[in-house]
Amino acid sequence: MTANKIRKVVSHSSDPTALDKLALIAATNNQLATTIANNTDRFAGFAVLPMAFPDLAAAELERCVKNLGFVGALID
């Protein structure tokens, strides 16, 4: 992977419809960012977003890309 500059994108899942889980979603994204920070030449991150709440999802995506260095989000 390193010789060919191949990176894998890492993501995770959470319940995107649970408003009471917004803190958990942010904490999970933070944990993923910490994990991939040690291997940024090999891994990149996709954010988990609370898709049932578009304004909050947009804010979390912006935070993850600008502050945590994620490359996007997987939207199902």
Side-chain angles (χ1 to χ4, degrees):
M1 283 176 44
T2 302
N4 295 315
K5 300 193 185 300
I6 296 171
R7 291 172 64 191
K8 293 191 179 217
V9 176
V10 183
S11 189
H12 45 277
S13 65
S14 183
D15 181 357
T17 63
L19 185 58
D20 63 335
K21 300 226 173 36
L22 292 175
L24 177 61
I25 289 172
T28 303
N29 286 328
N30 291 341
Q31 181 182 17
L32 179 60
T34 299
T35 301
I36 63 175
N38 297 324
N39 296 294
T40 56
D41 58 327
R42 298 188 84 148
F43 299 108
F46 272 171
V48 166
L49 303 174
M51 293 308 297
F53 308 96
D55 291 341
L56 298 173
E60 180 64 2
L61 178 60
E62 183 173 5
R63 182 185 80 86
C64 287
V65 170
K66 288 184 175 180
N67 299 346
L68 303 180
F70 285 13
V71 295
L74 178 64
I75 309 292
D76 284 336

